[in-house]
């Protein structure tokens, strides 16, 4: 990602490192849990890693699954169609499960509204680099 490689303060570096590893952990769990966004947590982990851990940052950039996501994001804020479809299907599955298994109330509808807004944002991102005019 871009930005200053290391914060000046050891505390800031520690906090960015903590954010990077927690985000990566949530992103890994999100791979198997429907409704939890993977891409956003991996992007957050990569950003925080650039400020705290060159080793983690390099690992993410060279990872066979996460590397292309980060490359696309850095080069045009691109989200591949496959990732968009996967995110949409997992959010839809999660919404259906919540509606079927849980009591209907405002928290359920708020969660579904949040997923809907997230889905709209995902689909607003380009799928391939812009063609220069």
């Amino acid at each position: 990602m871009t930005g200053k490689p290391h914060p000046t303060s050891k505390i800031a570096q520690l906090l960015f490192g903590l954010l990077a590893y927690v985000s990566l952990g949530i992103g890994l769990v999100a791979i198997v849990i429907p409704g939890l966004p993977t891409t956003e947590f991996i992007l957050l982990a990569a950003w925080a890693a650039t400020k705290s851990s060159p080793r983690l940052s390099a690992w993410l950039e060279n990872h066979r699954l996460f590397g292309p996501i980060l490359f696309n994001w850095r080069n045009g804020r691109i989200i591949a169609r496959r990732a968009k479809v996967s995110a949409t299907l997992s959010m839809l599955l999660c919404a259906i499960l919540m509606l079927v298994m849980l009591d209907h109330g405002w928290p359920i509808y708020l969660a579904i509204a949040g997923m809907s807004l997230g889905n709209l944002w995902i689909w607003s991102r380009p799928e391939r680099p812009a063609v220069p005019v």
Side-chain angles (χ1 to χ4, degrees):
M1 312 281 313
T2 59
K4 189 173 160 186
H6 294 287
T8 55
S9 157
K10 286 289 186 189
I11 293 174
Q13 191 172 357
L14 179 68
L15 291 174
F16 278 119
L18 183 63
L19 178 62
Y21 282 103
V22 168
S23 298
L24 177 60
I26 294 171
L28 293 173
V29 169
I31 292 172
V32 294
I33 296 182
L36 195 58
T38 303
T39 301
E40 290 84 345
F41 284 107
I42 298 305
L43 292 174
L44 181 59
W47 173 77
T50 61
K51 298 185 175 300
S52 63
S53 172
R55 185 175 168 190
L56 177 60
S57 182
W59 181 81
L60 285 168
E61 290 176 11
N62 294 312
H63 192 274
R64 70 172 185 80
L65 181 64
F66 305 136
I69 292 170
L70 298 173
F71 178 83
N72 284 342
W73 187 254
R74 268 188 260 114
N75 294 291
R77 305 288 192 243
I78 296 166
I79 299 177
R81 180 172 294 254
R82 182 176 180 202
K84 291 178 179 184
V85 170
S86 175
T88 300
L89 292 175
S90 73
M91 285 188 258
L92 184 60
L93 176 63
C94 186
I96 290 169
L97 287 173
M98 287 191 309
L99 288 171
V100 169
M101 300 177 93
L102 302 174
D103 291 332
H104 293 209
W106 70 266
I108 300 299
Y109 299 124
L110 183 64
I112 291 172
M115 286 189 286
S116 299
L117 290 173
N119 202 29
L120 287 172
W121 180 83
I122 288 170
W123 282 95
S124 74
R125 303 294 91 205
E127 294 178 1
R128 54 184 68 86
V131 179
V133 210

